Amino acid sequence: MINAIIPAAGISSRLYPLTKKPPKCLLEVNGQTILSSQIKQLENFNVDKICVVVGYLSHLVEDSLQPKINIIK
């Protein structure tokens, strides 16, 4: 079994004002969010369990995740 943890809890102050509403992990690059890109790559490598650590604007991150992704607050 392969597990992965994605830290997505920071304020990302250096990217402000881009990160005023969405946190950095939800910024889009090439048509997809940074977080969804990371999750897709982990799934491509057959990672069994993915946990995302949330903090800043956690409700937005949680709303963007699939039910199979574990959330750590």
Coordinates of all heavy atoms in Angstrom, one line a residue:
M1 N 0.8 -1.2 0.0 CA 0.0 0.0 0.0 C 0.9 1.2 0.0 O 1.8 1.4 0.8 CB -0.9 0.0 1.2 CG -1.8 1.2 1.3 SD -2.8 1.2 2.8 CE -4.4 0.9 2.0
I2 N 0.6 2.2 -0.9 CA 1.3 3.4 -1.0 C 0.5 4.6 -0.6 O -0.7 4.7 -1.0 CB 1.8 3.6 -2.4 CG1 2.7 2.5 -2.9 CG2 2.6 4.9 -2.5 CD1 3.0 2.5 -4.4
N3 N 1.0 5.4 0.4 CA 0.2 6.5 0.9 C 0.9 7.8 0.5 O 2.2 7.8 0.3 CB 0.1 6.5 2.4 CG -0.6 5.2 2.9 OD1 -1.5 4.7 2.2 ND2 -0.2 4.7 4.0
A4 N 0.2 8.9 0.4 CA 0.7 10.2 0.1 C 0.0 11.3 1.0 O -1.2 11.2 1.2 CB 0.6 10.5 -1.3
I5 N 0.8 12.3 1.4 CA 0.2 13.4 2.1 C 0.5 14.7 1.3 O 1.7 14.9 0.9 CB 0.8 13.6 3.5 CG1 0.4 12.4 4.3 CG2 0.3 14.9 4.1 CD1 1.0 12.3 5.7
I6 N -0.5 15.5 1.0 CA -0.3 16.8 0.3 C -0.5 17.9 1.3 O -1.7 18.0 1.8 CB -1.3 16.9 -0.9 CG1 -1.0 15.8 -1.9 CG2 -1.1 18.2 -1.6 CD1 -2.1 15.7 -3.0
P7 N 0.5 18.7 1.6 CA 0.3 19.8 2.5 C -0.4 21.0 1.7 O 0.1 21.4 0.6 CB 1.7 20.2 2.9 CG 2.6 19.6 2.0 CD 1.9 18.5 1.3
A8 N -1.6 21.4 2.1 CA -2.3 22.5 1.4 C -2.9 23.4 2.5 O -4.1 23.8 2.3 CB -3.4 21.9 0.5
A9 N -2.1 23.8 3.5 CA -2.7 24.5 4.6 C -2.2 26.0 4.7 O -2.7 26.7 5.5 CB -2.4 23.8 5.9
G10 N -1.2 26.3 3.9 CA -0.6 27.6 4.1 C -1.4 28.8 3.6 O -2.3 28.7 2.8
I11 N -1.0 30.0 4.0 CA -1.7 31.2 3.6 C -1.2 31.7 2.2 O -2.0 32.4 1.5 CB -1.5 32.3 4.7 CG1 -2.1 31.9 6.0 CG2 -2.0 33.7 4.2 CD1 -1.9 32.9 7.1
S12 N 0.0 31.4 1.8 CA 0.5 31.8 0.5 C 0.6 33.3 0.4 O 0.2 33.8 -0.6 CB -0.3 31.1 -0.6 OG -0.4 29.8 -0.5
S13 N 1.1 33.9 1.4 CA 1.1 35.4 1.4 C 2.0 36.0 0.3 O 1.7 37.1 -0.2 CB 1.7 35.9 2.8 OG 2.9 35.4 3.0
R14 N 3.0 35.3 -0.2 CA 3.8 35.8 -1.3 C 3.1 35.9 -2.6 O 3.6 36.6 -3.5 CB 5.1 35.0 -1.4 CG 6.1 35.2 -0.2 CD 7.3 34.4 -0.3 NE 6.9 33.0 0.1 CZ 7.7 32.0 0.1 NH1 9.0 32.2 -0.2 NH2 7.3 30.8 0.5
L15 N 2.0 35.2 -2.7 CA 1.2 35.2 -4.0 C 0.0 36.2 -3.9 O -0.8 36.2 -4.8 CB 0.8 33.8 -4.4 CG 1.8 32.9 -4.9 CD1 1.3 31.5 -5.2 CD2 2.4 33.5 -6.2
Y16 N -0.1 36.8 -2.7 CA -1.2 37.7 -2.5 C -1.1 38.9 -3.5 O 0.0 39.3 -3.8 CB -1.2 38.3 -1.1 CG -2.4 39.1 -0.7 CD1 -3.5 38.4 -0.3 CD2 -2.5 40.4 -0.8 CE1 -4.7 39.0 0.1 CE2 -3.6 41.1 -0.4 CZ -4.7 40.4 0.0 OH -5.9 41.1 0.4
P17 N -2.1 39.3 -4.2 CA -3.6 39.1 -4.0 C -4.1 37.9 -4.8 O -5.3 37.7 -4.7 CB -4.2 40.4 -4.5 CG -3.3 40.8 -5.6 CD -1.9 40.4 -5.2
L18 N -3.3 37.2 -5.5 CA -3.9 36.0 -6.2 C -4.5 35.0 -5.3 O -5.4 34.3 -5.6 CB -2.8 35.3 -7.0 CG -2.2 36.1 -8.2 CD1 -1.0 35.3 -8.8 CD2 -3.2 36.3 -9.3
T19 N -4.0 34.9 -4.0 CA -4.5 33.9 -3.1 C -5.4 34.5 -2.0 O -5.6 34.0 -1.0 CB -3.3 33.3 -2.4 OG1 -2.5 34.3 -1.8 CG2 -2.5 32.4 -3.3
K20 N -6.0 35.7 -2.3 CA -7.0 36.3 -1.4 C -8.2 35.5 -1.3 O -8.7 35.2 -0.2 CB -7.3 37.7 -1.8 CG -8.2 38.4 -0.9 CD -8.5 39.8 -1.3 CE -9.5 40.5 -0.3 NZ -9.8 41.9 -0.7
K21 N -8.8 35.0 -2.4 CA -10.0 34.2 -2.4 C -9.6 32.7 -2.4 O -9.9 32.0 -1.5 CB -10.9 34.6 -3.6 CG -11.6 35.9 -3.4 CD -12.9 35.7 -2.7 CE -13.5 37.1 -2.7 NZ -14.8 37.1 -2.2
P22 N -9.0 32.2 -3.5 CA -8.6 30.8 -3.5 C -7.3 30.6 -2.9 O -6.4 31.4 -3.1 CB -8.6 30.4 -5.0 CG -8.2 31.7 -5.7 CD -8.8 32.8 -4.8
P23 N -7.1 29.5 -2.1 CA -5.7 29.3 -1.7 C -4.8 28.8 -2.8 O -5.3 28.5 -3.9 CB -5.9 28.1 -0.7 CG -7.2 27.5 -1.0 CD -8.0 28.6 -1.7
K24 N -3.5 28.8 -2.6 CA -2.6 28.5 -3.7 C -2.8 27.2 -4.4 O -2.7 27.1 -5.6 CB -1.1 28.5 -3.1 CG -0.1 28.2 -4.1 CD 1.3 28.4 -3.6 CE 1.6 27.6 -2.4 NZ 3.0 27.8 -1.9
C25 N -3.2 26.2 -3.6 CA -3.5 24.9 -4.2 C -4.6 24.9 -5.2 O -4.7 24.0 -6.0 CB -3.6 23.8 -3.1 SG -5.1 24.0 -2.1
L26 N -5.5 25.9 -5.1 CA -6.6 26.0 -6.0 C -6.4 26.9 -7.2 O -7.3 27.2 -8.0 CB -7.9 26.3 -5.3 CG -8.4 25.3 -4.2 CD1 -9.7 25.7 -3.6 CD2 -8.5 23.9 -4.9
L27 N -5.2 27.5 -7.3 CA -4.9 28.3 -8.4 C -4.8 27.4 -9.7 O -4.3 26.3 -9.6 CB -3.6 29.1 -8.2 CG -3.6 30.2 -7.2 CD1 -2.2 30.8 -7.0 CD2 -4.6 31.2 -7.5
E28 N -5.2 27.9 -10.8 CA -5.2 27.1 -12.0 C -3.9 27.4 -12.8 O -3.5 28.5 -13.0 CB -6.4 27.5 -12.9 CG -7.7 26.9 -12.4 CD -8.8 26.9 -13.4 OE1 -8.5 27.0 -14.6 OE2 -9.9 26.6 -13.0
V29 N -3.4 26.3 -13.3 CA -2.2 26.3 -14.2 C -2.6 25.3 -15.3 O -2.9 24.2 -15.1 CB -0.9 25.8 -13.4 CG1 0.2 25.7 -14.4 CG2 -0.6 26.7 -12.2
N30 N -2.5 25.8 -16.5 CA -2.9 25.1 -17.7 C -4.2 24.4 -17.6 O -4.4 23.2 -18.0 CB -1.8 24.0 -18.0 CG -0.5 24.6 -18.4 OD1 -0.4 25.6 -19.0 ND2 0.6 24.0 -18.0
G31 N -5.2 25.1 -17.1 CA -6.6 24.7 -17.1 C -7.0 23.7 -15.9 O -8.1 23.3 -15.9
Q32 N -6.1 23.5 -15.0 CA -6.4 22.6 -13.9 C -5.8 23.2 -12.6 O -4.7 23.8 -12.7 CB -6.1 21.2 -14.1 CG -4.7 20.9 -14.2 CD -4.4 19.4 -14.4 OE1 -5.4 18.6 -14.3 NE2 -3.2 19.0 -14.7
T33 N -6.4 22.9 -11.4 CA -5.8 23.4 -10.2 C -4.5 22.7 -9.9 O -4.3 21.5 -10.3 CB -6.8 23.3 -9.0 OG1 -7.0 21.9 -8.7 CG2 -8.1 24.0 -9.3
I34 N -3.7 23.3 -9.1 CA -2.4 22.7 -8.7 C -2.7 21.4 -7.9 O -2.1 20.4 -8.1 CB -1.6 23.7 -7.8 CG1 -1.1 24.9 -8.7 CG2 -0.4 23.0 -7.2 CD1 -0.5 26.0 -7.9
L35 N -3.7 21.5 -7.0 CA -4.1 20.3 -6.2 C -4.6 19.2 -7.1 O -4.2 18.0 -6.9 CB -5.1 20.7 -5.2 CG -5.5 19.6 -4.2 CD1 -4.3 19.1 -3.4 CD2 -6.6 20.2 -3.3
S36 N -5.4 19.5 -8.0 CA -6.0 18.4 -8.9 C -4.9 17.8 -9.7 O -4.8 16.5 -10.0 CB -7.1 18.8 -9.8 OG -6.7 19.8 -10.7
S37 N -3.9 18.6 -10.2 CA -2.8 18.1 -10.9 C -1.9 17.1 -10.0 O -1.5 16.0 -10.5 CB -1.9 19.2 -11.4 OG -0.7 18.8 -12.0
Q38 N -1.7 17.5 -8.8 CA -0.9 16.6 -7.9 C -1.7 15.3 -7.6 O -1.0 14.2 -7.7 CB -0.7 17.3 -6.5 CG 0.2 18.5 -6.6 CD 0.3 19.2 -5.3 OE1 -0.7 19.5 -4.6 NE2 1.5 19.6 -4.9
I39 N -3.0 15.4 -7.4 CA -3.7 14.2 -7.2 C -3.7 13.2 -8.4 O -3.5 12.0 -8.3 CB -5.2 14.5 -6.8 CG1 -5.2 15.2 -5.4 CG2 -6.1 13.3 -6.8 CD1 -6.5 15.8 -4.9
K40 N -3.9 13.8 -9.6 CA -3.8 13.0 -10.8 C -2.5 12.3 -11.0 O -2.4 11.1 -11.3 CB -4.1 13.8 -12.0 CG -5.6 14.2 -12.2 CD -5.8 15.0 -13.4 CE -7.2 15.5 -13.5 NZ -7.5 16.4 -14.6
Q41 N -1.4 13.0 -10.7 CA -0.1 12.4 -10.8 C 0.1 11.3 -9.8 O 0.6 10.2 -10.1 CB 1.0 13.5 -10.5 CG 1.2 14.4 -11.7 CD 1.6 13.7 -13.0 OE1 2.4 12.8 -13.0 NE2 0.9 14.0 -14.1
L42 N -0.4 11.5 -8.5 CA -0.3 10.4 -7.5 C -1.1 9.2 -8.0 O -0.7 8.0 -7.8 CB -0.7 10.9 -6.2 CG 0.2 11.9 -5.5 CD1 -0.5 12.6 -4.3 CD2 1.5 11.3 -5.2
E43 N -2.3 9.4 -8.5 CA -3.1 8.3 -9.0 C -2.5 7.6 -10.1 O -2.6 6.4 -10.2 CB -4.5 8.8 -9.4 CG -5.4 9.3 -8.2 CD -6.7 10.0 -8.6 OE1 -6.8 10.4 -9.8 OE2 -7.5 10.0 -7.8
N44 N -1.8 8.3 -11.0 CA -1.0 7.7 -12.1 C 0.1 6.8 -11.6 O 0.5 5.8 -12.3 CB -0.4 8.7 -13.0 CG -1.5 9.4 -13.9 OD1 -2.6 8.9 -14.1 ND2 -1.1 10.6 -14.4
F45 N 0.6 7.1 -10.4 CA 1.6 6.2 -9.8 C 1.1 5.2 -8.8 O 1.8 4.6 -8.0 CB 2.7 7.1 -9.1 CG 3.6 7.8 -10.0 CD1 3.5 9.1 -10.3 CD2 4.6 7.1 -10.7 CE1 4.3 9.8 -11.2 CE2 5.5 7.7 -11.6 CZ 5.3 9.1 -11.8
N46 N -0.2 5.0 -9.0 CA -1.0 3.9 -8.2 C -0.9 4.1 -6.7 O -0.7 3.2 -5.9 CB -0.5 2.5 -8.6 CG -0.7 2.2 -10.0 OD1 -1.8 2.5 -10.5 ND2 0.2 1.7 -10.7
V47 N -0.9 5.4 -6.2 CA -1.0 5.7 -4.8 C -2.3 5.3 -4.3 O -3.4 5.6 -4.9 CB -0.7 7.2 -4.5 CG1 -0.9 7.5 -3.1 CG2 0.8 7.5 -4.9
D48 N -2.4 4.5 -3.2 CA -3.6 3.9 -2.7 C -4.4 4.9 -1.9 O -5.6 5.0 -2.0 CB -3.3 2.7 -1.9 CG -2.7 1.6 -2.7 OD1 -3.2 1.2 -3.7 OD2 -1.6 1.1 -2.3
K49 N -3.7 5.7 -1.0 CA -4.4 6.6 -0.1 C -3.8 7.9 -0.2 O -2.6 8.1 0.0 CB -4.3 6.0 1.3 CG -5.1 6.8 2.3 CD -5.0 6.1 3.7 CE -5.7 6.9 4.8 NZ -5.6 6.3 6.1
I50 N -4.6 8.9 -0.5 CA -4.1 10.3 -0.5 C -4.8 11.1 0.6 O -6.0 11.1 0.7 CB -4.5 10.9 -1.9 CG1 -3.8 10.1 -3.0 CG2 -4.0 12.4 -2.0 CD1 -4.2 10.5 -4.4
C51 N -4.0 11.8 1.4 CA -4.5 12.7 2.4 C -4.1 14.1 2.1 O -2.9 14.4 1.7 CB -3.9 12.3 3.8 SG -4.4 10.7 4.3
V52 N -5.0 15.1 2.2 CA -4.7 16.5 2.0 C -4.8 17.2 3.4 O -5.9 17.1 4.0 CB -5.6 17.1 1.0 CG1 -5.3 18.6 0.8 CG2 -5.5 16.4 -0.4
V53 N -3.7 17.9 3.8 CA -3.8 18.6 5.0 C -4.2 20.0 4.7 O -3.6 20.7 3.8 CB -2.4 18.7 5.7 CG1 -2.4 19.5 6.9 CG2 -1.8 17.3 5.9
V54 N -5.3 20.5 5.3 CA -5.9 21.8 5.0 C -5.9 22.7 6.2 O -5.8 22.3 7.3 CB -7.4 21.6 4.5 CG1 -7.5 20.8 3.2 CG2 -8.3 21.0 5.6
G55 N -5.9 24.0 5.9 CA -5.9 25.0 6.9 C -6.6 26.2 6.4 O -7.8 26.4 6.5
Y56 N -5.8 27.1 5.8 CA -6.3 28.4 5.3 C -7.4 28.1 4.2 O -7.2 27.4 3.3 CB -5.1 29.2 4.7 CG -5.5 30.5 4.0 CD1 -6.0 31.5 4.7 CD2 -5.3 30.6 2.6 CE1 -6.3 32.7 4.1 CE2 -5.7 31.8 2.0 CZ -6.2 32.9 2.8 OH -6.5 34.1 2.2
L57 N -8.5 28.8 4.4 CA -9.7 28.6 3.5 C -10.0 27.1 3.2 O -10.3 26.7 2.1 CB -9.4 29.3 2.2 CG -9.3 30.9 2.3 CD1 -8.9 31.5 0.9 CD2 -10.5 31.5 2.8
S58 N -9.9 26.3 4.3 CA -10.1 24.9 4.1 C -11.4 24.5 3.5 O -11.5 23.5 2.8 CB -10.0 24.2 5.5 OG -11.0 24.6 6.4
H59 N -12.5 25.2 3.7 CA -13.8 24.9 3.1 C -13.7 24.9 1.6 O -14.4 24.0 1.0 CB -14.9 25.8 3.7 CG -14.7 27.2 3.3 ND1 -13.8 28.1 3.9 CD2 -15.3 28.0 2.3 CE1 -13.8 29.3 3.3 NE2 -14.8 29.3 2.4
L60 N -12.9 25.8 1.0 CA -12.8 25.8 -0.5 C -12.1 24.6 -1.0 O -12.4 24.0 -2.0 CB -12.1 27.1 -0.9 CG -12.8 28.4 -0.6 CD1 -12.0 29.6 -1.0 CD2 -14.2 28.4 -1.3
V61 N -11.0 24.2 -0.2 CA -10.2 23.0 -0.6 C -11.1 21.8 -0.5 O -11.1 20.9 -1.4 CB -8.9 22.9 0.2 CG1 -8.1 21.7 -0.2 CG2 -8.1 24.2 0.1
E62 N -11.8 21.7 0.7 CA -12.6 20.5 0.9 C -13.7 20.3 -0.2 O -13.9 19.2 -0.6 CB -13.2 20.6 2.3 CG -12.3 20.4 3.4 CD -12.9 20.6 4.8 OE1 -14.0 20.1 5.0 OE2 -12.3 21.3 5.6
D63 N -14.3 21.4 -0.6 CA -15.3 21.4 -1.6 C -14.8 21.0 -3.0 O -15.6 20.4 -3.8 CB -16.0 22.8 -1.8 CG -16.8 23.2 -0.6 OD1 -17.1 22.3 0.3 OD2 -17.2 24.4 -0.4
S64 N -13.5 21.1 -3.2 CA -12.9 20.8 -4.5 C -12.5 19.3 -4.6 O -12.1 18.9 -5.7 CB -11.8 21.7 -4.8 OG -10.6 21.4 -4.1
L65 N -12.5 18.6 -3.4 CA -11.9 17.3 -3.4 C -12.9 16.2 -3.7 O -14.1 16.4 -3.3 CB -11.2 17.0 -2.1 CG -10.0 17.9 -1.8 CD1 -9.5 17.6 -0.3 CD2 -8.9 17.5 -2.7
Q66 N -12.5 15.1 -4.2 CA -13.3 14.0 -4.4 C -13.6 13.3 -3.1 O -12.7 13.4 -2.2 CB -12.7 13.0 -5.4 CG -12.3 13.6 -6.7 CD -11.2 12.7 -7.4 OE1 -11.0 11.5 -7.1 NE2 -10.6 13.2 -8.4
P67 N -14.7 12.6 -2.9 CA -15.0 11.9 -1.6 C -13.9 10.9 -1.2 O -13.7 10.7 0.0 CB -16.3 11.2 -1.9 CG -16.9 11.9 -3.0 CD -15.8 12.4 -3.8
K68 N -13.2 10.3 -2.1 CA -12.2 9.3 -1.8 C -10.9 9.9 -1.2 O -10.1 9.2 -0.6 CB -11.9 8.4 -3.0 CG -11.2 9.1 -4.1 CD -10.9 8.2 -5.3 CE -10.2 9.0 -6.4 NZ -9.9 8.1 -7.5
I69 N -10.7 11.2 -1.3 CA -9.6 11.9 -0.7 C -9.8 12.2 0.8 O -10.8 12.7 1.1 CB -9.3 13.2 -1.5 CG1 -9.1 12.9 -3.0 CG2 -8.0 13.9 -0.9 CD1 -8.0 12.1 -3.4
N70 N -8.8 11.8 1.6 CA -8.9 12.0 3.0 C -8.5 13.4 3.4 O -7.5 13.9 2.8 CB -8.1 11.0 3.8 CG -8.5 9.6 3.6 OD1 -9.7 9.3 3.9 ND2 -7.7 8.8 3.0
I71 N -9.2 14.1 4.3 CA -8.9 15.4 4.7 C -8.4 15.4 6.1 O -9.0 14.8 7.0 CB -10.1 16.3 4.6 CG1 -10.6 16.4 3.1 CG2 -9.8 17.7 5.1 CD1 -11.9 16.9 2.9
I72 N -7.3 16.1 6.4 CA -6.7 16.3 7.7 C -6.7 17.8 8.0 O -6.2 18.6 7.3 CB -5.3 15.8 7.8 CG1 -5.2 14.3 7.5 CG2 -4.7 16.0 9.2 CD1 -3.8 13.7 7.3
K73 N -7.4 18.1 9.1 CA -7.4 19.6 9.5 C -6.4 19.8 10.6 O -6.2 19.1 11.5 CB -8.8 19.9 10.1 CG -9.9 19.9 9.0 CD -11.2 20.4 9.5 CE -12.2 20.4 8.4 NZ -13.5 20.9 8.8

